[in-house]
Amino acid sequence: MRAVSVNSAALLLLCSAACVLHLWGRAERRLERRQRDLESSPTTKTFRALLAVPTNSRFFPSAQSNVSVENGDERKTNSTELKVLGPRGLESLEDGVFWSRSLEDRLPALFSDFHARAWSLRARAERVLSLEPGCGRTSNQLATFSDGSRACVRYGINAEQVQGESLAYYLAKLLGISNVPPLVLAQPGTEQWAQVRKRVDSLQWSGRAVVSVTEWIANLSGTVTPEPLRPDGSGLRPSPDLRNRTEEDLLELAQWSDLVVFDYLTANFDRMVSNLFSLQWDSRVMERDTSNLLRTPHGALVFIDNEAGLVHGYRVLDMWERYHSSVLRSVCVFRRRTAQKVSALHRYRDVRSRLYELYQDSEPLAGQLGFLSDEHARILQDRVDRVYRHILHCKGKYGQL
């Protein structure tokens, strides 16, 4: 009888070990498949070639990227990172169309106000030691400062590009969107740039011109448009699908909803809209990295190269508006804080005055670069009003869910 008991126990132990090995093997295979999928993602950007047209065109040539990557050199922009959520997860939505407070609390303040102020003080004070390629097209340069930090310098084919990049940054601050890298304006003819004067001359930069200087971030990677925001997707709307998504997915989608609002307000055609346009000759463009959008190792999105927005984006608005409207209509979930900012700008109809005040107070060279024209300021307020009405439409449709 004892022998039977011993044999039964041994058999049970063998069965348990076999089950563990089977489950472990399945987990390993899933990880291998995920790794292969990540490694096989294409990176061709067909729309980049379309925008690379002569300087007398009414389109701006578009930069490839304002961020370089160096192995083993990651400079964190802020101590706040995407936090890992607990094993029970979280409710994704509140009041029908807003990301939940528990989710928003876990989003990173990627470039906080404190970080931006500290960086701008250094960028205006440190001497520029070198300029080299590394920030997209050849008219842009990667600058190294005397404290060892780096920044992307954009000379701009004309003032519209630098103006659009600068005002888009301050509009993001006005909206409380912290995914845009800090920016200051500079003039290469000042004493701060004395050590790179020969390089500036060889680039044929005017010493009196105003250039934009943005913080350079290492170790960023590309990111593709998430499935709900693709033309064949269901849209980013309240649905049972959101409850089934991983916590990492929800944190990323919350940032995409801010990006959609930001790009609609600025009429930036050189990001998601460019992908929609390129579908007519590249059916797989949505599977490629999104232009001018990068991702930190911790999952935070970085909205770079915003020079196509506002000034130039408004000037060619008729050409791109149907794509802008299509992207906005695909989203009916918003960050509550962003929606509140939009609501206030709509209610008081003061987006021009508030943006102008923030710009003038923060940037010593604002007067030399200039501000929005009356017509462009009117367009910006109109787009604020349209986003506000779209949020109301979404609340009316999904608010009781």
Side-chain angles (χ1 to χ4, degrees), residues 46-69:
T46 57
F47 192 72
R48 321 308 305 156
L50 176 70
L51 291 185
V53 294
T55 57
N56 61 355
S57 166
R58 59 192 189 132
F59 297 103
F60 282 138
S62 185
Q64 295 173 359
S65 171
N66 75 335
V67 181
S68 299
V69 177

PDB file of all heavy atoms in Angstrom, residues 46-69:
ATOM      1  N   THR A  46       7.159  57.740 -46.980  1.00  0.00           N
ATOM      2  CA  THR A  46       6.980  58.201 -48.350  1.00  0.00           C
ATOM      3  C   THR A  46       6.648  59.682 -48.408  1.00  0.00           C
ATOM      4  O   THR A  46       7.026  60.373 -49.349  1.00  0.00           O
ATOM      5  CB  THR A  46       5.853  57.413 -49.030  1.00  0.00           C
ATOM      6  OG1 THR A  46       4.661  57.558 -48.276  1.00  0.00           O
ATOM      7  CG2 THR A  46       6.211  55.945 -49.123  1.00  0.00           C
ATOM      8  N   PHE A  47       5.935  60.201 -47.402  1.00  0.00           N
ATOM      9  CA  PHE A  47       5.539  61.606 -47.445  1.00  0.00           C
ATOM     10  C   PHE A  47       6.737  62.528 -47.292  1.00  0.00           C
ATOM     11  O   PHE A  47       6.714  63.666 -47.738  1.00  0.00           O
ATOM     12  CB  PHE A  47       4.531  61.879 -46.332  1.00  0.00           C
ATOM     13  CG  PHE A  47       3.853  63.209 -46.469  1.00  0.00           C
ATOM     14  CD1 PHE A  47       2.919  63.415 -47.469  1.00  0.00           C
ATOM     15  CD2 PHE A  47       4.141  64.249 -45.608  1.00  0.00           C
ATOM     16  CE1 PHE A  47       2.269  64.628 -47.590  1.00  0.00           C
ATOM     17  CE2 PHE A  47       3.507  65.455 -45.732  1.00  0.00           C
ATOM     18  CZ  PHE A  47       2.566  65.649 -46.719  1.00  0.00           C
ATOM     19  N   ARG A  48       7.825  62.037 -46.678  1.00  0.00           N
ATOM     20  CA  ARG A  48       9.019  62.875 -46.537  1.00  0.00           C
ATOM     21  C   ARG A  48       9.551  63.253 -47.910  1.00  0.00           C
ATOM     22  O   ARG A  48       9.989  64.364 -48.148  1.00  0.00           O
ATOM     23  CB  ARG A  48      10.131  62.148 -45.771  1.00  0.00           C
ATOM     24  CG  ARG A  48       9.686  61.299 -44.604  1.00  0.00           C
ATOM     25  CD  ARG A  48       8.809  62.014 -43.626  1.00  0.00           C
ATOM     26  NE  ARG A  48       9.445  63.223 -43.144  1.00  0.00           N
ATOM     27  CZ  ARG A  48       8.765  64.237 -42.666  1.00  0.00           C
ATOM     28  NH1 ARG A  48       7.469  64.214 -42.615  1.00  0.00           N
ATOM     29  NH2 ARG A  48       9.400  65.309 -42.239  1.00  0.00           N
ATOM     30  N   ALA A  49       9.537  62.293 -48.846  1.00  0.00           N
ATOM     31  CA  ALA A  49      10.025  62.582 -50.190  1.00  0.00           C
ATOM     32  C   ALA A  49       9.129  63.595 -50.895  1.00  0.00           C
ATOM     33  O   ALA A  49       9.593  64.446 -51.647  1.00  0.00           O
ATOM     34  CB  ALA A  49      10.101  61.295 -50.998  1.00  0.00           C
ATOM     35  N   LEU A  50       7.819  63.517 -50.651  1.00  0.00           N
ATOM     36  CA  LEU A  50       6.893  64.450 -51.276  1.00  0.00           C
ATOM     37  C   LEU A  50       7.185  65.884 -50.868  1.00  0.00           C
ATOM     38  O   LEU A  50       7.115  66.807 -51.675  1.00  0.00           O
ATOM     39  CB  LEU A  50       5.450  64.105 -50.889  1.00  0.00           C
ATOM     40  CG  LEU A  50       4.381  65.071 -51.398  1.00  0.00           C
ATOM     41  CD1 LEU A  50       4.239  64.943 -52.909  1.00  0.00           C
ATOM     42  CD2 LEU A  50       3.054  64.815 -50.716  1.00  0.00           C
ATOM     43  N   LEU A  51       7.539  66.100 -49.609  1.00  0.00           N
ATOM     44  CA  LEU A  51       7.768  67.460 -49.125  1.00  0.00           C
ATOM     45  C   LEU A  51       9.152  67.979 -49.465  1.00  0.00           C
ATOM     46  O   LEU A  51       9.416  69.163 -49.286  1.00  0.00           O
ATOM     47  CB  LEU A  51       7.571  67.517 -47.606  1.00  0.00           C
ATOM     48  CG  LEU A  51       6.133  67.335 -47.136  1.00  0.00           C
ATOM     49  CD1 LEU A  51       6.064  67.542 -45.639  1.00  0.00           C
ATOM     50  CD2 LEU A  51       5.197  68.277 -47.844  1.00  0.00           C
ATOM     51  N   ALA A  52      10.060  67.127 -49.919  1.00  0.00           N
ATOM     52  CA  ALA A  52      11.416  67.559 -50.246  1.00  0.00           C
ATOM     53  C   ALA A  52      11.414  68.203 -51.630  1.00  0.00           C
ATOM     54  O   ALA A  52      11.907  67.653 -52.607  1.00  0.00           O
ATOM     55  CB  ALA A  52      12.377  66.381 -50.211  1.00  0.00           C
ATOM     56  N   VAL A  53      10.822  69.398 -51.733  1.00  0.00           N
ATOM     57  CA  VAL A  53      10.664  70.097 -53.004  1.00  0.00           C
ATOM     58  C   VAL A  53      11.505  71.358 -52.974  1.00  0.00           C
ATOM     59  O   VAL A  53      11.989  71.773 -51.925  1.00  0.00           O
ATOM     60  CB  VAL A  53       9.183  70.444 -53.254  1.00  0.00           C
ATOM     61  CG1 VAL A  53       8.374  69.190 -53.443  1.00  0.00           C
ATOM     62  CG2 VAL A  53       8.620  71.262 -52.092  1.00  0.00           C
ATOM     63  N   PRO A  54      11.735  72.012 -54.111  1.00  0.00           N
ATOM     64  CA  PRO A  54      12.564  73.224 -54.132  1.00  0.00           C
ATOM     65  C   PRO A  54      12.037  74.299 -53.201  1.00  0.00           C
ATOM     66  O   PRO A  54      10.855  74.367 -52.893  1.00  0.00           O
ATOM     67  CB  PRO A  54      12.490  73.664 -55.603  1.00  0.00           C
ATOM     68  CG  PRO A  54      12.185  72.416 -56.351  1.00  0.00           C
ATOM     69  CD  PRO A  54      11.310  71.598 -55.434  1.00  0.00           C
ATOM     70  N   THR A  55      12.924  75.193 -52.802  1.00  0.00           N
ATOM     71  CA  THR A  55      12.575  76.199 -51.797  1.00  0.00           C
ATOM     72  C   THR A  55      11.568  77.206 -52.305  1.00  0.00           C
ATOM     73  O   THR A  55      10.945  77.893 -51.510  1.00  0.00           O
ATOM     74  CB  THR A  55      13.834  76.953 -51.340  1.00  0.00           C
ATOM     75  OG1 THR A  55      14.467  77.533 -52.486  1.00  0.00           O
ATOM     76  CG2 THR A  55      14.788  76.010 -50.662  1.00  0.00           C
ATOM     77  N   ASN A  56      11.392  77.335 -53.635  1.00  0.00           N
ATOM     78  CA  ASN A  56      10.404  78.286 -54.118  1.00  0.00           C
ATOM     79  C   ASN A  56       9.010  77.698 -54.173  1.00  0.00           C
ATOM     80  O   ASN A  56       8.067  78.323 -54.619  1.00  0.00           O
ATOM     81  CB  ASN A  56      10.795  78.805 -55.501  1.00  0.00           C
ATOM     82  CG  ASN A  56      10.863  77.687 -56.524  1.00  0.00           C
ATOM     83  OD1 ASN A  56      10.698  76.531 -56.169  1.00  0.00           O
ATOM     84  ND2 ASN A  56      11.119  78.045 -57.781  1.00  0.00           N
ATOM     85  N   SER A  57       8.860  76.433 -53.721  1.00  0.00           N
ATOM     86  CA  SER A  57       7.543  75.824 -53.680  1.00  0.00           C
ATOM     87  C   SER A  57       6.745  76.403 -52.539  1.00  0.00           C
ATOM     88  O   SER A  57       7.284  76.930 -51.573  1.00  0.00           O
ATOM     89  CB  SER A  57       7.663  74.314 -53.498  1.00  0.00           C
ATOM     90  OG  SER A  57       6.428  73.755 -53.149  1.00  0.00           O
ATOM     91  N   ARG A  58       5.415  76.273 -52.592  1.00  0.00           N
ATOM     92  CA  ARG A  58       4.602  76.735 -51.469  1.00  0.00           C
ATOM     93  C   ARG A  58       4.569  75.730 -50.344  1.00  0.00           C
ATOM     94  O   ARG A  58       3.912  75.938 -49.334  1.00  0.00           O
ATOM     95  CB  ARG A  58       3.176  77.045 -51.923  1.00  0.00           C
ATOM     96  CG  ARG A  58       2.424  75.916 -52.548  1.00  0.00           C
ATOM     97  CD  ARG A  58       1.178  76.478 -53.200  1.00  0.00           C
ATOM     98  NE  ARG A  58       0.280  75.441 -53.646  1.00  0.00           N
ATOM     99  CZ  ARG A  58      -1.014  75.438 -53.406  1.00  0.00           C
ATOM    100  NH1 ARG A  58      -1.540  76.382 -52.692  1.00  0.00           N
ATOM    101  NH2 ARG A  58      -1.787  74.486 -53.868  1.00  0.00           N
ATOM    102  N   PHE A  59       5.248  74.580 -50.501  1.00  0.00           N
ATOM    103  CA  PHE A  59       5.411  73.647 -49.399  1.00  0.00           C
ATOM    104  C   PHE A  59       6.777  73.857 -48.765  1.00  0.00           C
ATOM    105  O   PHE A  59       7.734  74.181 -49.435  1.00  0.00           O
ATOM    106  CB  PHE A  59       5.330  72.194 -49.881  1.00  0.00           C
ATOM    107  CG  PHE A  59       4.015  71.831 -50.458  1.00  0.00           C
ATOM    108  CD1 PHE A  59       3.836  71.732 -51.814  1.00  0.00           C
ATOM    109  CD2 PHE A  59       2.934  71.590 -49.628  1.00  0.00           C
ATOM    110  CE1 PHE A  59       2.620  71.399 -52.352  1.00  0.00           C
ATOM    111  CE2 PHE A  59       1.711  71.260 -50.151  1.00  0.00           C
ATOM    112  CZ  PHE A  59       1.551  71.165 -51.523  1.00  0.00           C
ATOM    113  N   PHE A  60       6.855  73.612 -47.458  1.00  0.00           N
ATOM    114  CA  PHE A  60       8.157  73.607 -46.804  1.00  0.00           C
ATOM    115  C   PHE A  60       8.788  72.247 -46.950  1.00  0.00           C
ATOM    116  O   PHE A  60       8.126  71.242 -46.706  1.00  0.00           O
ATOM    117  CB  PHE A  60       8.027  73.883 -45.300  1.00  0.00           C
ATOM    118  CG  PHE A  60       7.817  75.330 -44.982  1.00  0.00           C
ATOM    119  CD1 PHE A  60       6.908  75.696 -44.021  1.00  0.00           C
ATOM    120  CD2 PHE A  60       8.525  76.302 -45.647  1.00  0.00           C
ATOM    121  CE1 PHE A  60       6.713  77.017 -43.705  1.00  0.00           C
ATOM    122  CE2 PHE A  60       8.332  77.623 -45.339  1.00  0.00           C
ATOM    123  CZ  PHE A  60       7.422  77.989 -44.371  1.00  0.00           C
ATOM    124  N   PRO A  61      10.070  72.114 -47.278  1.00  0.00           N
ATOM    125  CA  PRO A  61      10.734  70.824 -47.115  1.00  0.00           C
ATOM    126  C   PRO A  61      10.656  70.437 -45.653  1.00  0.00           C
ATOM    127  O   PRO A  61      10.808  71.280 -44.778  1.00  0.00           O
ATOM    128  CB  PRO A  61      12.178  71.113 -47.537  1.00  0.00           C
ATOM    129  CG  PRO A  61      12.087  72.317 -48.407  1.00  0.00           C
ATOM    130  CD  PRO A  61      10.955  73.127 -47.848  1.00  0.00           C
ATOM    131  N   SER A  62      10.455  69.176 -45.383  1.00  0.00           N
ATOM    132  CA  SER A  62      10.220  68.750 -44.006  1.00  0.00           C
ATOM    133  C   SER A  62      11.436  68.039 -43.449  1.00  0.00           C
ATOM    134  O   SER A  62      12.066  67.234 -44.117  1.00  0.00           O
ATOM    135  CB  SER A  62       9.021  67.808 -43.969  1.00  0.00           C
ATOM    136  OG  SER A  62       8.718  67.478 -42.666  1.00  0.00           O
ATOM    137  N   ALA A  63      11.778  68.354 -42.197  1.00  0.00           N
ATOM    138  CA  ALA A  63      12.920  67.712 -41.552  1.00  0.00           C
ATOM    139  C   ALA A  63      12.632  66.254 -41.287  1.00  0.00           C
ATOM    140  O   ALA A  63      11.515  65.852 -41.052  1.00  0.00           O
ATOM    141  CB  ALA A  63      13.218  68.428 -40.225  1.00  0.00           C
ATOM    142  N   GLN A  64      13.681  65.428 -41.305  1.00  0.00           N
ATOM    143  CA  GLN A  64      13.514  64.017 -41.007  1.00  0.00           C
ATOM    144  C   GLN A  64      13.291  63.802 -39.527  1.00  0.00           C
ATOM    145  O   GLN A  64      12.446  63.045 -39.114  1.00  0.00           O
ATOM    146  CB  GLN A  64      14.758  63.243 -41.447  1.00  0.00           C
ATOM    147  CG  GLN A  64      14.968  63.278 -42.955  1.00  0.00           C
ATOM    148  CD  GLN A  64      16.283  62.664 -43.337  1.00  0.00           C
ATOM    149  OE1 GLN A  64      17.048  62.236 -42.478  1.00  0.00           O
ATOM    150  NE2 GLN A  64      16.562  62.600 -44.611  1.00  0.00           N
ATOM    151  N   SER A  65      14.062  64.499 -38.726  1.00  0.00           N
ATOM    152  CA  SER A  65      13.916  64.340 -37.285  1.00  0.00           C
ATOM    153  C   SER A  65      14.755  65.384 -36.598  1.00  0.00           C
ATOM    154  O   SER A  65      15.779  65.800 -37.114  1.00  0.00           O
ATOM    155  CB  SER A  65      14.377  62.941 -36.840  1.00  0.00           C
ATOM    156  OG  SER A  65      14.419  62.869 -35.448  1.00  0.00           O
ATOM    157  N   ASN A  66      14.352  65.848 -35.434  1.00  0.00           N
ATOM    158  CA  ASN A  66      15.177  66.778 -34.690  1.00  0.00           C
ATOM    159  C   ASN A  66      15.826  66.088 -33.512  1.00  0.00           C
ATOM    160  O   ASN A  66      16.317  66.717 -32.599  1.00  0.00           O
ATOM    161  CB  ASN A  66      14.356  67.979 -34.204  1.00  0.00           C
ATOM    162  CG  ASN A  66      13.475  67.636 -33.038  1.00  0.00           C
ATOM    163  OD1 ASN A  66      13.097  66.493 -32.853  1.00  0.00           O
ATOM    164  ND2 ASN A  66      13.137  68.630 -32.257  1.00  0.00           N
ATOM    165  N   VAL A  67      15.842  64.779 -33.522  1.00  0.00           N
ATOM    166  CA  VAL A  67      16.394  64.019 -32.408  1.00  0.00           C
ATOM    167  C   VAL A  67      17.399  63.025 -32.941  1.00  0.00           C
ATOM    168  O   VAL A  67      17.125  62.295 -33.874  1.00  0.00           O
ATOM    169  CB  VAL A  67      15.297  63.280 -31.634  1.00  0.00           C
ATOM    170  CG1 VAL A  67      15.891  62.512 -30.470  1.00  0.00           C
ATOM    171  CG2 VAL A  67      14.263  64.275 -31.119  1.00  0.00           C
ATOM    172  N   SER A  68      18.573  63.032 -32.376  1.00  0.00           N
ATOM    173  CA  SER A  68      19.569  62.034 -32.726  1.00  0.00           C
ATOM    174  C   SER A  68      19.637  60.982 -31.646  1.00  0.00           C
ATOM    175  O   SER A  68      19.229  61.193 -30.517  1.00  0.00           O
ATOM    176  CB  SER A  68      20.954  62.690 -32.885  1.00  0.00           C
ATOM    177  OG  SER A  68      20.921  63.654 -33.912  1.00  0.00           O
ATOM    178  N   VAL A  69      20.184  59.823 -31.966  1.00  0.00           N
ATOM    179  CA  VAL A  69      20.291  58.727 -31.011  1.00  0.00           C
ATOM    180  C   VAL A  69      21.745  58.329 -30.861  1.00  0.00           C
ATOM    181  O   VAL A  69      22.444  58.116 -31.841  1.00  0.00           O
ATOM    182  CB  VAL A  69      19.467  57.512 -31.473  1.00  0.00           C
ATOM    183  CG1 VAL A  69      19.652  56.359 -30.513  1.00  0.00           C
ATOM    184  CG2 VAL A  69      18.005  57.882 -31.577  1.00  0.00           C
TER     185      VAL A  69
END
